[in-house]
Amino acid sequence: MEEVRKAVHCIQTGEKVTDQFYVDEDVNVPDVREDVAKVILAGGRVRVEDIKMTENYARITGKITYQILYETENEIQKVSALQGKLSFEEMVYMEDEPVGKLYVRSSFAELNVTVIHSRKLNIRVAVDLEVSSEGESEEILTTDVETSEPVYKRFRTEEILKLHSMKKDIYRIKEEMKIPASKENIGTLLYGEANLRKLDTRLGTDELLLRGEIQLFCLYESQEQKMEWVEQNIPFEGKLECYGAEDTMYHDIQASLTDENIDIRMDEDGEMRIFGLEASLEVRCSVYEEEKTEILDDLYSLTKELIPAREEKALERLVMQNHSRCKAAEQLNLPELKDGMLQICHCSGRLQMEYTKIVPEGIQVEGVIHIGMLYIKADDEVPFDVWQGMIPYSHIIECPKAEETMRYDISGTVEQLSVSLLGGGEAEVKAVLGFQILLREAVMVENIEQIEEREMDEKEAENAPGIVGYIVKEGDDLWNLAKRYHTTEEGIQEVNEMDGRQIKAGDRILIFKENMSIL
């Protein structure tokens, strides 16, 4: 007797570890840049280059790319900027052994820049990382047996969510932004920022389809040395190869924008009126397939004793895949900006999830939106300044089927953000938040690992009654009765002239041992 087996691939996710560390470094202002009087705006991105385990620690190395907009001591060129990179190495303690490959789920860099003197700055960066691990496991299920002798088998069907594939890929974004006709030609780009806003994804045949928006902000000095700025949401769409994928499958995705490069380009008239954007969209994607799998549930023979050894297998079933959106609004009272803020040039937002919990209505998500505003102030000498703050949000992703024991992956982003001045030192913040959720429940499957064959006890078989009059009890079914009394379901049906296999408590039936004839 030989078991027929089937492999089911599952995803394994390790613990999520959050880590914060600081990078502190003094940098000199390049000779080609003006002297620094005051820092206006500073931003940075984390670029992880390598991650690997060293004993109980994840060793993470990479760079922080930064750009700084500052007020100069030059009365003619009042604003300038500088860019650069800082290297870092961090050891993150991992309490549990990683289940597969380590990776950084999310990262954020907050810069604090201090002017030491006009030619030197101190850059202190607070870096937040969330580290996890991800890998594949394989569960082997017995779906049938092959034998030369008659064996009676019972099967059951389980609906299982199996892992089809895991991949990491990069989609190259190349887009352009034309400046409005009311803006002057571009001279020098001072500060540029590209942020991923919307990202909608879906599976097609052998591909992952992408469609999203990038918010691109550029502050520049015109050829006439006038300060100008422009901001637009730039749509993009494309696809990544995903071999074997079908539109009926499900997927979980994590995406981040990296390696942004903004340059100045000529339009068709030969004038510098276009900003070009090149960036990398790094995508981690897990593709799942829902499958009804027939598993061998039980078996017996009339000539041998078959003893199955069973073991529980932990699998999963899909409950919901959903893309949920919510609106957040807050009115801010900013008395310190009552007389100084004239116009908002640019606002950026970052979503921070602080709390998630399964509640009766679904999954509750709470946190804050970090907001930064670059605005024009009533100061002709240095017309720009920055305000930073945060507003809370709370949202329930509807799913009445959700239970506390279920497992979910959730990611969120700020898809839209606007800040309006109301006057009198008040401003209104409006945001649209997007959440991606994949909700799964554990399925414990009792699987037959192996089958022991023993010779039938002939004496016991001979002493077994040939005919049994039986009153059906609660929980009985034809299979168990046939197995117990060494006959078949079809035999019981034939003797009792039954149309189907349904029996109920209290039914009276006759059971003939197989090979017995009715006299």
Side-chain angles (χ1 to χ4, degrees):
M1 182 177 294
E2 184 177 351
E3 294 88 356
V4 179
R5 304 186 187 277
K6 178 179 182 177
V8 176
H9 294 273
C10 307
I11 192 168
Q12 284 188 308
T13 304
E15 64 167 336
K16 298 174 185 176
V17 178
T18 57
D19 180 67
Q20 185 179 73
F21 64 96
Y22 293 89
V23 177
D24 196 309
E25 193 168 321
D26 293 342
V27 298
N28 295 316
V29 179
D31 294 339
V32 295
R33 300 294 183 186
E34 296 290 335
D35 290 352
V36 180
K38 177 186 174 184
V39 173
I40 301 172
L41 177 63
R45 293 280 178 95
V46 179
R47 175 65 173 169
V48 175
E49 296 177 341
D50 186 45
I51 177 170
K52 61 183 178 183
M53 283 297 293
T54 303
E55 295 182 347
N56 294 328
Y57 290 85
R59 179 179 176 270
I60 304 173
T61 57
K63 289 184 172 58
I64 300 164
T65 59
Y66 66 84
Q67 53 180 336
I68 301 170
L69 184 71
Y70 65 91
E71 172 189 343
T72 74
E73 295 182 349
N74 188 324
E75 294 184 359
I76 298 175
Q77 185 181 354
K78 297 179 180 180
V79 178
S80 187
L82 60 90
Q83 298 82 30
K85 296 179 181 180
L86 304 177
S87 298
F88 70 85
E89 178 180 325
E90 175 67 357
M91 303 293 286
V92 181
Y93 179 69
M94 307 294 291
E95 186 173 348
D96 297 333
E97 184 76 18
V99 298
K101 290 185 178 180
L102 286 167
Y103 72 102
V104 175
R105 282 179 57 89
S106 62
S107 61
F108 177 71
E110 183 176 359
L111 273 68
N112 182 27
V113 183
T114 304
V115 180
I116 298 174
H117 56 71
S118 61
R119 305 303 300 174
K120 180 177 284 191
L121 303 175
N122 173 258
I123 303 177
R124 181 174 171 81
V125 188
V127 181
D128 291 297
L129 299 177
E130 184 179 64
V131 184
S132 187
S133 58
E134 201 171 58
E136 292 185 46
S137 65
E138 188 177 72
E139 297 290 355
I140 305 298
L141 301 178
T142 302
T143 59
D144 204 347
V145 291
E146 293 178 349
T147 178
S148 58
E149 299 179 3
V151 172
Y152 299 92
K153 298 174 282 190
R154 181 173 68 179
F155 301 90
R156 73 179 186 278
T157 301
E158 294 283 357
E159 195 168 19
I160 295 171
L161 185 69
K162 68 176 187 178
L163 180 67
H164 176 270
S165 61
M166 295 171 59
K167 67 172 298 176
K168 180 181 178 182
D169 208 341
I170 294 176
Y171 176 70
R172 306 291 181 182
I173 296 174
K174 296 182 179 182
E175 301 289 344
E176 291 185 340
M177 177 176 69
K178 295 182 179 180
I179 64 175
S182 58
K183 300 289 184 178
E184 294 188 7
N185 289 357
I186 306 165
T188 304
L189 174 64
L190 297 174
Y191 194 93
E193 186 175 292
N195 292 303
L196 181 64
R197 284 294 180 240
K198 291 181 181 179
L199 179 61
D200 295 320
T201 60
R202 66 182 179 89
L203 291 172
T205 303
D206 295 329
E207 61 187 8
L208 174 68
L209 303 173
L210 309 168
R211 184 168 61 186
E213 286 183 359
I214 293 177
Q215 181 195 54
L216 181 59
F217 169 74
C218 295
L219 177 70
Y220 68 95
E221 187 178 60
S222 72
Q223 295 172 355
E224 288 73 31
Q225 296 187 327
K226 178 184 176 183
M227 298 295 294
E228 294 274 19
W229 68 90
V230 61
E231 183 176 74
Q232 292 180 18
N233 287 335
I234 302 175
F236 70 90
E237 60 180 294
K239 60 184 178 182
L240 291 171
E241 184 182 82
C242 192
Y243 180 73
E246 297 177 6
D247 58 5
T248 55
M249 294 181 179
Y250 304 90
H251 68 290
D252 181 38
I253 190 169
Q254 298 171 32
S256 60
L257 198 66
T258 63
D259 298 332
E260 308 95 305
N261 180 53
I262 304 170
D263 58 11
I264 303 169
R265 301 175 185 176
M266 288 188 295
D267 64 8
E268 59 274 11
D269 298 323
E271 296 184 323
M272 296 297 189
R273 299 191 61 80
I274 295 175
F275 285 108
L277 170 66
E278 293 187 6
S280 299
L281 184 66
E282 293 190 352
V283 176
R284 294 183 66 91
C285 182
S286 301
V287 180
Y288 300 89
E289 182 178 7
E290 207 169 23
E291 180 181 82
K292 290 184 177 180
T293 301
E294 194 172 70
I295 301 171
L296 181 63
D297 186 48
D298 200 6
L299 77 168
Y300 68 93
S301 168
L302 298 178
T303 59
K304 289 185 178 181
E305 188 178 358
L306 304 181
I307 304 172
R310 302 174 186 270
E311 182 180 313
E312 281 197 330
K313 302 284 189 179
L315 303 174
E316 289 185 320
R317 182 183 295 125
L318 179 70
V319 178
M320 178 188 72
Q321 181 179 23
N322 189 19
H323 186 187
S324 177
R325 289 185 170 94
C326 77
K327 295 181 179 180
E330 188 83 9
Q331 193 163 312
L332 304 175
N333 186 19
L334 309 174
E336 69 275 18
L337 305 179
K338 181 177 180 181
D339 300 321
M341 184 184 291
L342 299 180
Q343 183 181 354
I344 297 172
C345 305
H346 168 60
C347 58
S348 60
R350 177 176 68 89
L351 190 71
Q352 179 179 338
M353 284 189 287
E354 297 180 329
Y355 173 82
T356 62
K357 182 181 179 181
I358 292 180
V359 296
E361 300 86 358
I363 302 174
Q364 185 173 358
V365 187
E366 293 182 356
V368 295
I369 307 169
H370 295 267
I371 298 170
M373 292 189 296
L374 178 67
Y375 64 91
I376 296 178
K377 61 180 182 178
D379 185 344
D380 293 336
E381 293 295 322
V382 185
F384 297 100
D385 210 339
V386 173
W387 178 88
Q388 293 179 324
M390 63 181 71
I391 66 169
Y393 71 87
S394 180
H395 176 55
I396 293 180
I397 301 169
E398 293 184 4
C399 182
K401 295 180 180 179
E403 297 178 2
E404 290 186 6
T405 56
M406 292 180 180
R407 175 183 166 192
Y408 57 90
D409 296 315
I410 183 169
S411 60
T413 186
V414 179
E415 294 189 349
Q416 298 177 31
L417 179 67
S418 65
V419 182
S420 304
L421 297 178
L422 303 178
E426 291 188 343
E428 184 179 39
V429 178
K430 292 183 178 180
V432 176
L433 311 179
F435 298 94
Q436 298 277 0
I437 178 77
L438 188 72
L439 180 64
R440 312 184 290 280
E441 66 175 336
V443 179
M444 300 307 295
V445 175
E446 195 175 68
N447 183 61
I448 296 176
E449 293 293 300
Q450 60 183 19
I451 301 164
E452 181 184 352
E453 297 183 58
R454 295 180 185 174
E455 293 298 325
M456 188 77 73
D457 188 327
E458 294 183 5
K459 190 173 182 179
E460 183 180 337
E462 287 176 3
N463 293 333
I467 304 174
V468 176
Y470 188 81
I471 301 175
V472 178
K473 299 179 179 62
E474 196 72 40
D476 283 339
D477 59 33
L478 285 188
W479 169 269
N480 291 326
L481 293 177
K483 182 179 179 182
R484 187 190 311 169
Y485 292 104
H486 302 286
T487 186
T488 65
E489 292 179 283
E490 292 78 12
I492 297 175
Q493 288 176 283
E494 182 181 353
V495 169
N496 294 276
E497 298 180 350
M498 298 170 61
D499 293 331
R501 297 188 176 185
Q502 297 300 318
I503 55 175
K504 63 181 185 297
D507 286 351
R508 296 173 183 268
I509 59 175
L510 288 175
I511 302 175
F512 285 71
K513 188 165 63 173
E514 191 68 12
N515 298 327
M516 285 286 295
S517 59
I518 302 176
L519 299 178

